[in-house]
Amino acid sequence: MKNIDKKSLTLKTLNKSNVWDMQENDIFRMIEAAEKDADIKENIRHYIDIIKSAFELEEIKIDRPEIIKKYEARGFKVGTMRAADGQDAKVGIKKKPIMRVTDLTYENIRHISADKLMEVIDRNFGGGWDSLSQSIQDIIQSGFDISTTTLPKDRLHKPGGMYEKKVADGFSVLEIPKGAWIEAIFAKLKPEAEKPRLKIDSDENGKMSDEDEDEDLPEDNNGYDETDDDDAFDEDKLTEESYRTTIEENPEDLDLAAEDVVEDDEY
C-alpha cells in the first residue's frame, strides 16, 4: 500500500482513489477545515460523493444518546458537519469493508495488502483463481502481480521449488485444496508505475527547432513503421511460464517424478 501524508490531503485534493487511505477521523478533520472555504461549500455534493465512494455516511436525525450508541455499535464514528443550509448536522461515518471479491475496484485495489487480498479471495467459495470472473481478475492484476500453480500436496513445498522462491521474493500465498492436489495463488503488490514524460526541446520562443520537427516527421510511408515488424510474435521467446497446462487425469493414476511436476506461473 502507498504511504501518504494524510494531513497534507484536503477535500480539494481528495479523489476516489486516495480516499481509501483515509479513516473516519480524517474525514471529519477535512470537513471541519473546509467549513470556511466558499468554493467547497458551493461544490459540497461533489466532495460528499467522493467520500461516499469509500465510506458509509448517514445523517443522524434523532440526536439522542441511545441512538448515538446504536450507530457506534455498528462501527460508525459520530460527529458533526455543516449542512448546505449552514446548520450543523450530526452524522455517522464508517469505512466500507472489503470483504468479498465484488468489493474490489480499480480505485481501492492498491489500498489493501497482499495478505488482505488473499483473505478476500479465500472467501470466494474456495474456488481458486479460475473461479473469479475476468473483470475481477483484471482489477486484481491492475494492482498485484499474480502467479498460480497446482501441484500434488507432497510436491508443493519441495525445497527450491516455486513456492519457496515466491515466498522468499515477498509474495503472499493462499493454498486451496483440490482433492489430492493444492492450488497455490501468489500475490505481491506492484510497484507504483511512473508516468512517462514527453520531453520537447524548444528555442527561447517556445517553438520546436527545424531539426526537431524534421526528426518527428515520418517518412512518406503512410505512417507505416518498419520497426513494427521487429515486435512480431516470436515463438522462440516463449518460456515455460508463458502458458498454463491443465491436467485432466486422475492424479492417483499418475506416476509423477520430480521433473514431471507441472508448475504454471500466470500473470
Side-chain angles (χ1 to χ4, degrees), residues 26-233:
D26 299 315
I27 299 300
F28 281 121
R29 173 185 56 79
M30 287 190 288
I31 291 175
E32 182 180 359
E35 286 182 352
K36 297 181 180 180
D37 191 317
D39 291 337
I40 290 180
K41 286 183 178 181
E42 292 178 1
N43 298 282
I44 189 63
R45 291 188 180 277
H46 166 71
Y47 300 111
I48 293 299
D49 286 342
I50 292 176
I51 293 172
K52 283 185 174 180
S53 69
F55 291 85
E56 295 178 35
L57 194 154
E58 294 187 19
E59 181 181 358
I60 302 175
K61 298 181 179 180
I62 303 176
D63 186 5
R64 294 207 305 258
E66 61 271 24
I67 301 297
I68 301 299
K69 286 182 179 180
K70 288 183 178 180
Y71 275 92
E72 292 175 340
R74 291 168 53 197
F76 282 84
K77 296 285 186 181
V78 177
T80 58
M81 63 179 290
R82 190 65 54 86
D85 59 3
Q87 300 296 317
D88 287 339
K90 189 79 74 174
V91 296
I93 297 178
K94 181 174 73 170
K95 188 79 165 283
K96 289 182 178 179
I98 301 176
M99 302 295 292
R100 302 176 298 274
V101 293
T102 51
D103 294 327
L104 299 172
T105 67
Y106 284 106
E107 288 77 22
N108 67 26
I109 189 63
R110 292 192 59 84
H111 300 275
I112 63 173
S113 67
D115 288 340
K116 176 66 176 179
L117 175 64
M118 296 292 94
E119 292 178 12
V120 173
I121 294 177
D122 193 29
R123 293 192 187 101
N124 192 50
F125 311 109
W129 179 253
D130 288 337
S131 72
L132 303 176
S133 68
Q134 186 61 54
S135 60
I136 295 298
Q137 290 185 10
D138 290 344
I139 288 173
I140 293 173
Q141 290 180 309
S142 72
F144 288 86
D145 286 322
I146 299 294
S147 304
T148 69
T149 186
T150 302
L151 294 169
K153 292 179 181 179
D154 59 345
R155 301 284 186 177
L156 182 62
H157 295 273
K158 68 177 182 179
M162 179 181 181
Y163 188 104
E164 185 177 281
K165 292 177 181 178
K166 287 292 185 181
V167 172
D169 195 29
F171 281 76
S172 294
V173 60
L174 171 64
E175 297 181 29
I176 301 176
K178 293 188 173 182
W181 295 63
I182 292 180
E183 178 182 359
I185 304 175
F186 304 92
K188 183 179 180 181
L189 189 66
K190 289 181 177 180
E192 191 72 24
E194 293 185 4
K195 295 182 179 179
R197 296 181 179 179
L198 179 63
K199 182 178 180 181
I200 301 178
D201 293 329
S202 58
D203 60 21
E204 61 182 1
N205 294 320
K207 182 180 182 299
M208 291 179 60
S209 65
D210 292 338
E211 181 180 352
D212 291 335
E213 290 178 341
D214 291 338
E215 289 179 356
D216 290 341
L217 290 174
E219 295 181 3
D220 186 16
N221 56 5
N222 294 325
Y224 175 76
D225 186 354
E226 294 181 356
T227 59
D228 289 345
D229 289 341
D230 295 336
D231 295 329
F233 180 77

Side-chain angles (χ1 to χ4, degrees), residues 152 154-155 181 247 251 254-262:
D154 59 345
R155 301 284 186 177
W181 295 63
I247 295 180
L254 295 176
D255 182 15
L256 290 173
E259 62 271 20
D260 294 329
V261 175
V262 178

